[in-house]
Amino acid sequence: MKVDYPLIQNLLDNDLYTFTVGQVAWNLYPNTKVEYTFINRGKTLFPPNFDKELRNQVEFLSRLRFTYEELTYLRLNTPLKNEYIDWLIHYQIDPNEISITQFGGE
């Protein structure tokens, strides 16, 4: 089933762990490419063509930017450093850097 609208509406729809790990990589290894891998710990089986729908959602994500209000929220409610939040102002997901593969239901 194709969903023609973004399921994720803003870049804060994430967990604090992802932001803090991103800050560590940005701060300690600024010239190093990092890689995140999804691990299907629940052994969920995905329907055929789920990879294509996920790719479609990544395309929607690539259009999102942090708003001033979202960045203010991060400044006031998280341990993230201002320098990292200032970097997030320009952050944009590049769908060409994301690899999605599906093997059967996995």
Side-chain angles (χ1 to χ4, degrees):
M1 179 173 107
K2 185 160 175 68
V3 179
D4 291 326
Y5 56 90
L7 297 175
I8 296 174
Q9 301 292 316
N10 68 65
L11 293 174
L12 287 184
D13 194 357
N14 212 326
D15 59 1
L16 182 58
Y17 177 78
T18 299
F19 286 112
T20 56
V21 168
Q23 178 176 263
V24 168
W26 176 83
N27 190 42
L28 297 178
Y29 308 101
N31 298 314
T32 303
K33 284 192 172 196
V34 296
E35 180 177 304
Y36 296 92
T37 301
F38 170 75
I39 299 171
N40 184 7
R41 290 187 175 93
K43 306 295 183 204
T44 301
L45 291 178
F46 297 98
N49 297 315
F50 180 81
D51 56 333
K52 292 173 183 51
E53 182 52 41
L54 185 56
R55 169 58 58 191
N56 185 49
Q57 289 300 313
V58 167
E59 294 294 333
F60 285 129
L61 279 174
S62 72
R63 299 177 195 151
L64 294 177
R65 305 293 180 280
F66 283 101
T67 66
Y68 174 79
E69 292 78 17
E70 291 165 348
L71 295 172
T72 299
Y73 175 85
L74 289 175
R75 287 183 206 283
L76 297 175
N77 297 288
T78 72
L80 298 175
K81 296 183 179 188
N82 283 330
E83 296 83 7
Y84 180 64
I85 294 172
D86 290 342
W87 178 81
L88 287 175
I89 291 169
H90 306 288
Y91 180 73
Q92 177 181 357
I93 292 173
D94 182 351
N96 296 317
E97 294 180 347
I98 298 174
S99 172
I100 301 170
T101 55
Q102 181 174 354
F103 301 101
E106 297 179 15

